[in-house]
C-alpha cells in the first residue's frame, strides 16, 4: 500500500470509530494496533506498548494532574466567589459592567488553572445565574463565558501549552510567557467589544441600580479578594521563572498552594477534597489514555511513511508559499476541531504539522500561541465544538442550544481578529519571553 | 430494531439465556468492584506524586538534589493513570465524540458500543501482550514467547536472567514498573469486557452492574 | 523485484543527525536505488531510546545507530560504550582500539549472543561540561544536575555531580526550566549545533573522555537476509559516517573554542584534575572486577594507553 493510502486508511478508520461513539482513546489505539499488525511487518505488535514507555519518559506530563487538581479546588471550593463579588460591586454600575467584570474574573481564574473547563464551570455556576437575574441578554452572557473561559489555556499555567511544548520540543517557560500578552490582548478586545455593544444597545447589559448602596469600606475590602489569584500565581511562577524549581516541581507547589488557600479560607471540606481528588483521577486518566493511544498511533503513522506523504502533499504537490501552508493548516485545525477532541487533535495532528512549521522557517514559540487560539476557535464554532457542548451541559435550562450557537459569533470574530493581529505582529507573543530569558 | 425490542422482555428468554445474563452480571459485579476499590486507592496517588516533587524541590534547595525523584515520580504517574484507568471508565470520564452518538437512544448506543468495544478490547489485548513481552525481557528472557516463559517460571523450567535496569545513574530495576503496567492493562481489559457485557445486557433490555458515584 | 526497506533509528536528534548520519543514509539510498531503501528516524521518534535495543532485537526496528550505554544493551560491554572515563584521548584512538587491538571481535561475540549484528564502531566527540554557572574547581561540580551518559554519570557522582537522564530531545528545554544545571554529553561542536550553547554559558575545557565510542547495529535476521553486496554497501556507508565525524568534530572543537561567542571557556587546573584521572584508574579496576569480558576490555585499554604514552609526542603529551 502506498504511503498516501495508508494515511487515508488510518484516518478514515479512526473517523469511523469516532463517529460511532467509541471512547476516543479506544478509537485511536485500535486503529494504531490494526495498522501496526497489518502493515508494519515483524515486531509491529510491540509498538503500542513502547508508546507507554515513551509516555513514562515524558516527564512534563506530571504537571497535568497538578493543574487539573488546581482547577477543581478552585471551582469546587468556590474560591472564586469573592473575586466575583469584587467585580460585581466595582463594575456593576456601568452598562455591560457585569459582563466586563466576568471577563476580568476569567483572566484571574485563568492564572490559577491550566484548562478552560474550570473557567467554564466557574462562569456558568457563579456568573451566569447572576447576569441573567440582572436582566442581561442571555445570548450576550453565554458568549462572554465561553469566550472568557478560552483564556484558560492561553494565560499560564496552561496544560495545552505543556503538551504543545513536548511535541514541538520548545521550552514551556517561554511558551507560557508568550501566551500572557496575547491573552490579555484578547481579554481587552472582548471587553472593548462588550463596552461598545452595550453603549449602542444598553438593554443588552443594564447598569446595576443598587450598586451604590455598597459602603465604600466594603468595596475596598473586596479588592483584597484580588490578592488571592496573585498569591497562587506567584507561588508557582516566581520560583519557576527564576529557575529555583523545575516545571514539574512548580506545578506541585501551585496545586498545594491552591489547596492551602482553600483550607485557610475555610472553603475546603472533606467531601469537596475527596471529590476534587476523584475528579482529578478521572480527567487525568482521560488525558493520559488518549496520549498513550495517540503516541502509538503517531509512531505507527510515522513508521509506515504516512507522515512523509503529508509533508509531500503540503510542500511539493500543492506548491504553496509558507504563509499559504500556515493558513491552510490553521483552517484545517478549525475543521478538525468540529469532530476531534482537543487532546486527540494535539497529539495526532500537531506532531504532523509542527515540524513542518519549523521547516518553513516560522518561530515555534509564536506558532504555539497561534495554535492555542485556533483550537479555541475550533471548539467554539458550530455546529460541533467541545466548548459548545460543555456550555450546554452546564448552562441553566432556559438557555437553548440555539442561544449558545448564536452567542459565539461576535466573540469568534474578535478571536479571529486577535489571531490575525498576532500573525502580523509576532512581537506581541515573542517580546515577553525574549525580555525575560534575554535572547 | 423491533425484533430486538421484542426480546427485551426477560420472561421470553430461554433458561440458558437467563443463565448467560446471570453469569455476565456476576462477572460485571466482581470486576467492577475490584476495579472500583483499586481506583479509589489510586486516586490518592496524586498526593504521592506531589510529595515526591515537593521533596525534590526541598532537597534541591536545602541539601544535595536527590537523583531518584524525577524517575520515581514518573513511576508513580504511570501507576496512577494505568491502574486508575478502569475506575475512570466506570466514572464515564473517557470522552467520546458525541457528534451523532449524543442523540442516540441508549439501546442504539449499546448496539454500536457492543461492536466498537470489541476493537477497544483488541487494542488493550495487544497492549497487554506487548507489555508481557517487555516485562519478560526485563526479567532476562529474550525470546518471542513471553506467555510460555512466565508459565515456565511458575513450573521452574525457566529462570530469571539478566535484570533490565534503567539507563540512569540511579539505575532502578525496570521489572516492577513494567509489572504494574501489565497488571493495569489486564485490569483495563477486564473492565472493557465488563462494558461489553453491559452493552449486551442493555441490548436485551437489562441493566447489569452497580451504579456508583 | 521488491525494494527491501529498513527502518533505522538513531539516538541523535534531527539537528545533530544532519551531520552525523543523514549524509551516509542519503548516500546509501542513492546507490542502492530500487534494490533497498533505509528510512531514518531520529531520537525517540518510533520507540524511546531506552527500548531501542529490544525493538531491534525483535525486529520492530531493523537497524540502529547508538552507543551501547544509551540504549542499555544487555551485554557485558555496555559500560564501555558512550564515554568510558579517560579510555581515549583522541577520536582516532577509537577505531585503532576496535580494528587493531581486538575490540571488534569482543563486540561481535557479545552482540551475536543476543541476536544482534554489530556492524562497526566509530568515534564521536570528547565529553565536556556545558553549564549555566562556571566550573573552575572540582568543588563547583557539587550538587549540579547534569545530563550525561549513564556510565559517565556513575563515575562523576563521586565528585558530587547529580546525573540526570532525560530524553535527548528534551535537554534544551530542561536546562531552561531548571530540571538541569548543565550537560556533560558532548564537545563544543555539538553544543553549538543542537542549540545547547544558547541555554548554557560556560564550557569546561577539561574532558572526562577524549572520544565517544558508538556503533551501527542491525537485527541479525534482517542482516543475514541481505545480499552480500548490500551488506558491503551498508558497511561502507557506516564507515563514511565515521569518517565525516572525524573531521567535523576535530575541526569544529578547535574552531569554536577559539572563535565561538556563545560560551565562555573555563578550566580546572591540572594539579586538581589529576584527582579525577586517578579516580578513573580506580573505576576501571572496579569495572574489571565485575566479569571476565570486562576485565579483557579494561586490559586492552591499559595496554593501549601505556603504548601510546611510550610512543610519546604527538600520541601523548604527558
Ligand atoms: Na491558565
Ligand atoms: Na467547531
Amino acid at each position: 500500500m502506498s504511503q498516501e493510502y495508508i494515511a487515508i486508511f488510518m484516518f478514515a478508520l479512526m473517523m469511523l470509530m469516532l463517529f460511532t461513539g467509541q471512547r476516543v482513546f479506544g478509537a485511536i489505539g485500535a486503529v494504531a494496533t490494526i495498522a501496526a499488525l497489518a502493515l508494519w511487518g515483524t515486531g509491529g505488535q510491540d509498538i503500542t506498548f513502547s508508546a507507554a514507555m515513551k509516555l513514562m519518559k515524558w516527564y512534563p506530563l506530571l504537571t497535568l494532574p497538578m493543574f487539573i487538581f488546581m482547577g477543581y479546588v478552585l471551582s469546587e471550593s468556590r474560591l472564586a466567589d469573592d473575586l466575583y463579588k469584587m467585580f460585581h460591586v466595582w463594575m456593576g454600575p456601568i452598562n455591560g459592567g457585569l459582563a466586563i467584570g466576568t471577563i476580568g474574573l476569567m483572566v484571574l481564574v485563568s492564572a490559577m488553572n491550566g484548562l478552560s473547563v474550570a473557567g467554564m464551570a466557574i462562569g456558568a455556576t457563579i456568573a451566569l445565574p447572576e447576569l441573567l437575574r440582572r436582566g442581561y441578554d442571555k445570548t450576550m452572557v453565554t458568549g462572554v463565558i465561553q469566550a472568557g473561559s478560552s483564556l484558560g489555556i492561553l494565560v499560564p499555567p496552561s496544560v495545552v501549552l505543556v503538551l504543545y511544548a513536548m511535541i514541538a520540543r520548545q521550552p514551556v517557560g517561554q511558551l507560557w510567557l508568550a501566551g500572557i500578552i496575547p491573552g490579555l490582548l484578547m481579554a481587552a478586545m472582548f471587553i472593548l467589544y462588550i463596552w461598545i455593544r452595550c453603549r449602542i444597545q444598553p438593554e443588552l447589559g443594564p447598569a446595576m441600580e443598587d450598586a451604590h448602596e455598597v459602603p465604600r469600606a466594603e468595596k475596598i475590602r473586596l479588592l483584597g479578594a484580588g490578592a488571592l489569584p496573585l498569591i497562587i500565581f506567584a507561588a508557582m511562577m516566581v520560583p519557576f521563572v527564576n529557575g529555583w524549581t523545575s516545571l514539574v516541581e512548580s506545578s506541585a507547589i501551585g496545586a498545594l498552594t491552591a489547596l492551602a488557600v482553600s483550607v485557610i479560607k475555610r472553603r475546603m471540606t472533606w467531601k469537596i477534597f475527596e471529590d476534587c481528588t476523584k475528579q482529578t483521577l478521572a480527567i487525568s486518566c482521560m488525558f493520559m489514555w488518549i496520549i498513550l493511544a495517540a503516541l502509538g498511533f503517531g509512531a505507527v503513522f510515522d513508521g509506515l511513511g504516512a507522515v512523509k506523504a503529508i509533508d509531500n502533499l503540503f510542500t511539493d504537490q500543492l506548491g504553496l508559499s509558507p504563509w499559504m501552508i500556515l493558513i491552510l493548516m490553521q483552517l484545517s485545525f478549525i475543521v478538525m476541531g468540529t469532530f476531534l477532541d482537543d487532546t486527540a487533535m494535539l497529539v495526532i495532528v500537531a506532531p504532523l504539522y509542527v515540524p513542518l512549521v519549523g521547516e518553513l522557517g516560522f518561530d515555534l514559540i509564536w506558532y504555539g500561541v497561534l495554535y492555542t487560539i485556533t483550537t479555541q476557535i475550533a471548539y467554539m464554532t458550530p455546529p460541533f465544538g467541545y466548548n459548545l457542548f460543555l456550555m450546554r451541559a452546564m448552562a441553566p435550562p432556559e438557555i437553548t442550544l440555539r442561544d449558545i450557537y448564536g452567542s459565539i459569533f461576535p466573540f469568534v470574530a474578535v478571536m479571529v481578529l486577535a489571531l490575525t493581529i498576532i500573525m502580523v505582529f509576532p512581537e506581541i507573543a515573542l517580546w515577553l519571553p525574549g525580555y525575560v530569558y534575554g535572547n | 430494531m423491533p425484533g430486538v425490542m421484542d426480546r427485551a422482555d426477560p420472561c421470553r428468554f430461554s433458561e440458558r439465556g437467563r443463565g448467560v445474563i446471570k453469569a455476565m452480571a456476576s462477572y460485571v459485579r466482581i470486576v467492577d468492584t475490584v476495579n472500583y476499590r483499586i481506583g479509589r486507592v489510586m486516586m490518592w496517588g496524586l498526593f504521592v506524586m506531589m510529595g515526591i516533587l515537593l521533596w525534590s524541590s526541598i532537597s534541591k534547595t536545602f541539601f544535595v538534589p536527590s537523583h531518584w525523584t524525577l524517575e520515581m515520580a514518573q513511576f508513580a504517574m504511570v501507576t496512577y493513570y494505568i491502574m486508575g484507568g478502569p475506575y475512570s471508565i466506570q466514572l464515564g470520564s473517557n470522552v467520546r465524540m458525541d457528534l451523532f452518538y449524543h442523540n442516540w437512544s441508549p439501546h442504539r448506543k449499546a448496539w454500536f458500543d457492543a461492536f466498537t468495544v470489541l476493537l477497544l478490547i483488541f487494542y488493550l489485548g495487544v497492549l497487554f501482550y506487548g507489555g508481557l513481552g517487555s516485562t519478560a525481557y526485563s526479567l532476562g528472557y529474550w525470546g518471542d514467547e513471553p506467555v510460555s516463559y512466565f508459565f515456565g517460571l511458575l513450573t521452574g523450567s525457566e529462570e530469571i536472567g539478566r535484570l533490565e535496569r534503567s539507563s540512569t545513574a540511579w539505575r532502578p530495576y525496570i521489572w516492577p514498573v513494567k509489572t504494574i503496567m501489565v497488571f493495569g492493562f489486564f485490569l483495563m481489559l477486564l473492565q472493557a469486557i465488563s462494558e461489553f457485557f453491559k452493552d449486551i445486557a442493555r441490548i436485551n433490555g437489562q441493566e447489569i452492574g452497580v451504579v456508583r458515584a | 523485484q521488491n525494494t527491501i526497506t529498513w527502518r533505522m533509528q538513531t539516538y541523535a536528534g534531527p539537528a545533530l543527525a544532519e551531520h552525523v548520519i543523514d549524509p551516509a543514509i542519503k548516500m546509501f539510498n542513492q546507490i542502492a536505488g530500487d534494490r533497498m531503501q533505509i528510512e531514518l528516524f531520529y531520537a525517540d521518534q518510533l520507540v524511546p531510546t531506552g527500548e531501542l535495543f529490544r525493538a531491534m532485537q525483535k525486529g520492530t526496528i531493523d537497524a540502529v545507530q547508538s552507543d551501547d550505554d544509551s540504549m542499555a544493551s544487555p551485554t557485558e560491554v555496555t559500560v564501555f560504550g558512550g564515554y568510558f572515563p579517560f579510555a581515549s584521548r583522541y577520536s582516532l584512538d577509537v577505531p585503532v582500539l576496535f580494528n587493531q587491538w581486538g575490540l571488534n571481535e569482543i563486540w561481535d561475540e557479545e552482540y551475536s549472543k543476543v541476536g544482534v549484528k554489530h556492524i562497526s564502531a566509530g568515534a564521536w566527540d570528547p565529553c565536556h561540561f556545558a553549564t549555566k554557572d562556571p566550573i573552575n574547581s572540582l568543588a563547583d561540580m557539587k550538587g549540579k544536575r547534569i545530563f550525561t551518559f549513564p556510565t559517565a554519570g556513575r563515575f562523576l557522582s563521586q565528585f558530587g555531580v547529580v546525573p540526570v537522564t532525560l530524553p535527548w530531545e528534551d535537554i534544551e528545554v530542561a536546562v531552561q526550566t531548571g530540571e538541569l544545571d548543565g550537560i556533560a554529553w558532548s564537545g563544543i561542536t555539538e553544543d553549538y549545533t543542537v542549540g545547547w550553547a544558547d541555554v548554557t554559558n560556560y564550557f569546561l575545557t577539561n574532558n572526562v573522555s577524549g572520544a565517544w565510542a558508538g556503533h551501527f547495529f542491525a537485527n541479525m535476521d534482517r542482516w543475514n537476509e541481505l545480499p552480500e553486496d548490500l551488506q558491503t554497501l551498508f558497511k561502507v556507508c557506516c564507515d563514511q559516517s565515521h569518517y565525516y565525524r572525524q573531521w567535523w568534530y576535530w575541526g569544529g572543537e578547535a574552531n569554536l573554542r577559539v572563535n565561538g561567542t556563545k560560551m565562555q571557556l573555563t578550566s580546572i587546573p591540572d594539579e586538581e584534575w589529576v584527582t579525577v584521572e586517578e579516580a578513573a584508574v580506580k573505576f576501571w579496576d572496579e569495572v574489571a572486577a565485575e566479569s571476565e569480558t570486562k576485565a579483557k576490555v579494561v586490559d586492552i585499554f591499559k595496554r593501549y594507553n601505556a603504548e601510546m604514552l611510550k610512543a610519546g609526542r604527538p600520541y601523548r603529551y604527558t
Side-chain angles (χ1 to χ4, degrees):
Chain A
M1 210 189 299
S2 83
Q3 294 170 342
E4 286 81 5
Y5 282 116
I6 290 173
I8 293 169
F9 162 75
M10 286 180 74
F11 263 112
L13 191 59
M14 186 171 67
M15 287 309 144
L16 183 71
M17 276 190 75
L18 287 173
F19 280 130
T20 48
Q22 189 42 258
R23 294 161 188 84
V24 171
F25 85 88
I28 299 171
V31 174
T33 312
I34 291 167
L37 290 185
L39 302 169
W40 188 280
T42 322
Q45 73 276 9
D46 287 346
I47 302 172
T48 45
F49 177 78
S50 85
M53 296 305 288
K54 205 190 249 187
L55 190 151
M56 184 167 88
K57 303 275 171 179
W58 265 19
Y59 70 94
L61 278 183
L62 277 162
T63 60
L64 209 80
M66 304 301 153
F67 292 141
I68 292 169
F69 182 71
M70 258 175 112
Y72 275 111
V73 168
L74 215 61
S75 57
E76 298 297 305
S77 69
R78 302 188 70 92
L79 269 181
D81 282 16
D82 291 343
L83 277 177
Y84 181 68
K85 255 184 235 148
M86 172 182 87
F87 282 112
H88 195 96
V89 300
W90 282 91
M91 302 299 295
I94 62 165
N95 280 325
L98 287 183
I100 292 173
T102 302
I103 296 285
L105 173 72
M106 290 300 178
V107 172
L108 296 183
V109 168
S110 297
M112 294 184 285
N113 86 97
L115 291 169
S116 55
V117 189
M120 187 87 86
I122 290 168
T125 51
I126 304 178
L128 192 68
E130 183 66 13
L131 285 161
L132 293 176
R133 204 168 62 80
R134 295 285 175 175
Y136 273 61
D137 177 66
K138 62 179 178 179
T139 316
M140 164 75 100
V141 301
T142 329
V144 165
I145 287 162
Q146 289 194 74
S149 67
S150 74
L151 297 170
I153 59 168
L154 199 52
V155 174
S158 160
V159 167
V160 171
L161 283 175
V162 170
L163 295 176
Y164 174 87
M166 286 190 294
I167 290 159
R169 306 280 184 177
Q170 295 294 308
V172 180
Q174 294 209 17
L175 278 163
W176 280 4
L177 290 175
I180 293 180
I181 297 180
L184 295 178
L185 172 77
M186 225 158 74
M189 288 167 71
F190 290 147
I191 289 173
L192 195 67
Y193 161 74
I194 297 167
W195 186 71
I196 292 172
R197 190 80 199 271
C198 290
R199 282 214 73 142
I200 303 167
Q201 296 168 277
E203 70 278 9
L204 293 182
M208 245 165 66
E209 312 268 296
D210 52 358
H212 298 289
E213 292 160 19
V214 179
R216 206 172 166 74
E218 174 70 6
K219 283 174 87 170
I220 303 281
R221 194 193 65 79
L222 275 169
L223 270 185
L228 172 84
L230 286 181
I231 291 170
I232 296 179
F233 189 72
M236 185 174 45
M237 292 299 282
V238 169
F240 172 58
V241 172
N242 283 303
W244 302 330
T245 56
S246 67
L247 170 73
V248 291
E249 291 159 5
S250 308
S251 70
I253 292 172
L256 281 169
T257 312
L259 182 62
V261 168
S262 70
V263 170
I264 291 166
K265 297 206 88 181
R266 297 176 184 281
R267 289 280 170 73
M268 188 49 81
T269 64
W270 179 256
K271 169 95 186 47
I272 294 175
F273 180 59
E274 198 183 312
D275 211 48
C276 291
T277 309
K278 183 183 85 181
Q279 293 298 335
T280 303
L281 177 80
I283 301 298
S284 301
C285 283
M286 175 205 85
F287 271 112
M288 298 286 195
W289 278 89
I290 291 178
I291 294 168
L292 170 66
L295 282 178
F297 183 95
V300 175
F301 202 72
D302 201 355
L304 294 176
V307 171
K308 288 208 174 70
I310 292 192
D311 258 23
N312 275 340
L313 175 76
F314 272 119
T315 47
D316 297 343
Q317 293 171 7
L318 296 178
L320 301 169
S321 74
W323 274 97
M324 285 297 288
I325 296 175
L326 192 82
I327 291 168
L328 207 65
M329 281 179 180
Q330 300 308 93
L331 288 177
S332 72
F333 272 130
I334 292 187
V335 173
M336 281 183 283
T338 62
F339 51 78
L340 270 185
D341 153 74
D342 52 353
T343 327
M345 191 149 101
L346 188 80
V347 205
I348 292 175
V349 187
L352 305 181
Y353 284 3
V354 170
L356 194 53
V357 172
E359 275 167 39
L360 293 173
F362 293 109
D363 186 293
L364 287 177
I365 301 279
W366 167 75
Y367 185 69
V369 174
L370 296 189
Y371 171 84
T372 308
I373 300 176
T374 310
T375 52
Q376 280 305 315
I377 294 174
Y379 305 137
M380 285 175 59
T381 41
F384 308 109
Y386 202 62
N387 284 13
L388 292 169
F389 294 132
L390 265 178
M391 190 68 201
R392 185 177 57 187
M394 291 176 182
E398 70 256 39
I399 292 181
T400 63
L401 195 60
R402 185 187 294 269
D403 294 329
I404 294 174
Y405 280 2
S407 68
I408 58 94
F409 278 108
F411 292 97
V412 165
V414 171
M415 287 168 87
V416 171
L417 184 62
L419 186 68
T420 315
I421 292 174
I422 297 163
M423 279 173 114
V424 179
F425 304 104
E427 279 304 300
I428 295 171
L430 296 178
W431 175 79
L432 189 61
Y435 177 78
V436 172
Y437 286 102
N439 56 347
Chain B
M1 279 160 257
V4 178
M5 292 308 288
D6 282 349
R7 289 201 280 116
D9 177 3
C11 302
R12 300 186 58 173
F13 285 136
S14 66
E15 192 70 23
R16 215 170 113 221
R18 268 201 299 275
V20 169
I21 294 267
K22 227 174 134 187
M24 290 195 307
S26 338
Y27 171 92
V28 166
R29 198 176 51 245
I30 295 167
V31 166
D32 282 20
T33 307
V34 168
N35 278 335
Y36 171 81
R37 296 224 170 109
I38 292 175
R40 294 296 291 187
V41 174
M42 281 305 134
M43 73 186 211
W44 301 105
L46 174 69
F47 299 99
V48 175
M49 290 186 270
M50 254 184 227
I52 295 170
L53 293 176
L54 205 63
W55 171 250
S56 175
S57 39
I58 291 171
S59 71
K60 185 159 77 174
T61 315
F62 301 104
F63 319 101
V64 173
S66 327
H67 59 216
W68 55 268
T69 47
L70 192 59
E71 216 169 2
M72 197 64 209
Q74 288 170 333
F75 293 159
M77 175 182 82
V78 165
T79 310
Y80 178 74
Y81 89 90
I82 293 183
M83 299 279 280
Y87 182 45
S88 81
I89 287 196
Q90 290 179 10
L91 290 170
S93 61
N94 296 93
V95 284
R96 299 162 184 266
M97 230 207 53
D98 33 17
L99 196 56
F100 305 119
Y101 188 82
H102 189 84
N103 300 315
W104 293 348
S105 67
H107 190 257
R108 174 179 278 199
K109 281 181 183 169
W111 261 107
F112 273 97
D113 280 349
F115 281 104
T116 60
V117 87
L118 293 176
L119 290 169
L120 172 63
I121 290 170
F122 174 64
Y123 166 52
L124 292 170
V126 173
L127 203 54
F128 173 67
Y129 186 76
L132 273 186
S134 191
T135 308
Y137 174 79
S138 74
L139 292 170
Y141 172 76
W142 297 333
D144 282 332
E145 279 163 27
V147 178
S148 65
Y149 171 71
F150 283 113
F151 193 71
L153 273 187
L154 290 178
T155 59
S157 64
E158 290 275 2
E159 52 191 42
I160 287 171
R162 184 196 172 95
L163 295 177
E164 183 190 6
R165 300 182 108 170
S166 168
S167 65
T168 60
W170 183 37
R171 300 209 309 149
Y173 290 112
I174 292 294
W175 66 263
V177 73
K178 282 187 175 170
T179 307
I180 289 172
M181 287 162 102
V182 168
F183 186 57
F185 292 144
F186 181 65
L187 293 177
M188 198 71 167
L189 197 57
L190 294 182
Q191 187 64 42
I193 293 169
S194 164
E195 299 303 306
F196 174 66
F197 286 167
K198 285 175 203 166
D199 290 326
I200 295 291
R202 213 166 281 145
I203 288 169
N204 289 299
Q206 308 247 315
E207 274 302 325
I208 54 177
V210 207
V211 182
R212 286 198 197 85
Chain C
Q1 171 206 343
N2 276 337
T3 308
I4 304 168
T5 55
W6 269 17
R7 295 185 189 94
M8 174 169 179
Q9 185 168 311
T10 169
Y11 90 122
L16 184 59
E18 202 181 316
H19 290 280
V20 300
I21 180 72
D22 281 348
I25 298 303
K26 211 172 275 172
M27 192 181 293
F28 180 93
N29 287 340
Q30 195 187 353
I31 299 170
D34 286 342
R35 295 185 60 208
M36 180 167 170
Q37 290 289 300
I38 296 174
E39 288 201 50
L40 181 65
F41 298 90
Y42 304 120
D44 300 305
Q45 199 173 344
L46 295 183
V47 297
T49 301
E51 298 290 297
L52 209 46
F53 179 85
R54 176 63 175 160
M56 170 168 59
Q57 195 189 40
K58 283 205 86 176
T60 309
I61 285 173
D62 306 300
V64 160
Q65 177 193 36
S66 177
D67 63 282
D68 326 69
D69 206 9
S70 304
M71 70 173 187
S73 306
T75 64
E76 286 297 304
V77 293
T78 299
V79 68
F80 304 108
Y83 295 117
F84 190 62
F86 297 98
S88 58
R89 172 79 42 103
Y90 306 116
S91 54
L92 271 175
D93 291 337
V94 174
V96 173
L97 279 161
F98 274 85
N99 294 308
Q100 289 187 338
W101 286 73
L103 291 192
N104 267 344
E105 288 71 21
I106 298 176
W107 255 252
D108 187 63
E109 191 185 329
E110 285 300 312
Y111 278 94
S112 299
K113 275 188 211 162
V114 292
V116 162
K117 171 72 189 169
H118 176 252
I119 296 165
S120 75
W124 291 32
D125 51 345
C127 180
H128 291 268
F129 281 79
T131 47
K132 283 205 243 188
D133 298 320
I135 298 178
N136 288 304
S137 67
L138 287 181
D140 290 339
M141 289 188 176
K142 278 209 180 73
K144 283 206 166 31
R145 294 177 160 222
I146 301 289
F147 172 65
T148 187
F149 286 79
T151 303
R154 216 172 112 193
F155 171 67
L156 287 167
S157 54
Q158 60 183 299
F159 302 102
V161 169
V162 182
V164 179
T165 310
L166 297 172
W168 189 91
E169 283 287 313
D170 293 331
I171 301 314
E172 186 179 348
V173 174
V175 173
Q176 281 188 305
T177 57
E179 252 88 13
L180 292 173
D181 300 311
I183 301 154
W185 181 272
S186 67
I188 197 166
T189 317
E190 227 170 276
D191 291 336
Y192 273 75
T193 306
V194 305
W196 294 340
D198 298 323
V199 293
T200 54
N201 305 312
Y202 296 93
F203 179 83
L204 180 68
T205 57
N206 311 65
N207 67 51
V208 293
S209 167
W212 178 91
H215 322 263
F216 288 94
F217 301 100
N219 173 283
M220 193 59 94
D221 293 339
R222 292 297 91 70
W223 178 259
N224 290 335
E225 282 160 22
L226 286 191
E228 214 179 319
D229 62 330
L230 286 178
Q231 287 181 346
T232 308
L233 177 62
F234 191 78
K235 280 185 189 161
V236 166
C237 290
C238 292
D239 282 343
Q240 193 283 334
S241 156
H242 296 321
Y243 173 67
Y244 184 109
R245 289 196 308 267
Q246 283 286 352
W247 57 259
W248 187 61
Y249 284 121
W250 186 256
E253 294 297 302
N255 174 37
L256 287 169
R257 280 186 185 208
V258 178
N259 302 314
T261 52
K262 293 179 179 176
M263 302 170 92
Q264 211 174 310
L265 306 185
T266 65
S267 296
I268 294 177
D270 288 347
E271 314 83 78
E272 208 178 342
W273 193 246
V274 169
T275 330
V276 183
E277 289 175 7
E278 281 165 2
V281 177
K282 236 186 265 164
F283 184 73
W284 284 18
D285 289 336
E286 274 168 38
V287 170
E290 287 170 10
S291 80
E292 219 170 287
T293 311
K294 286 177 183 172
K296 221 157 87 184
V297 177
V298 167
D299 179 56
I300 291 175
F301 282 157
K302 280 187 173 167
R303 286 189 290 116
Y304 174 74
N305 278 294
E307 186 163 310
M308 286 290 123
L309 205 60
K310 228 181 254 172
R313 299 177 181 203
Y315 296 97
R316 296 291 185 267
Y317 283 80
T318 46

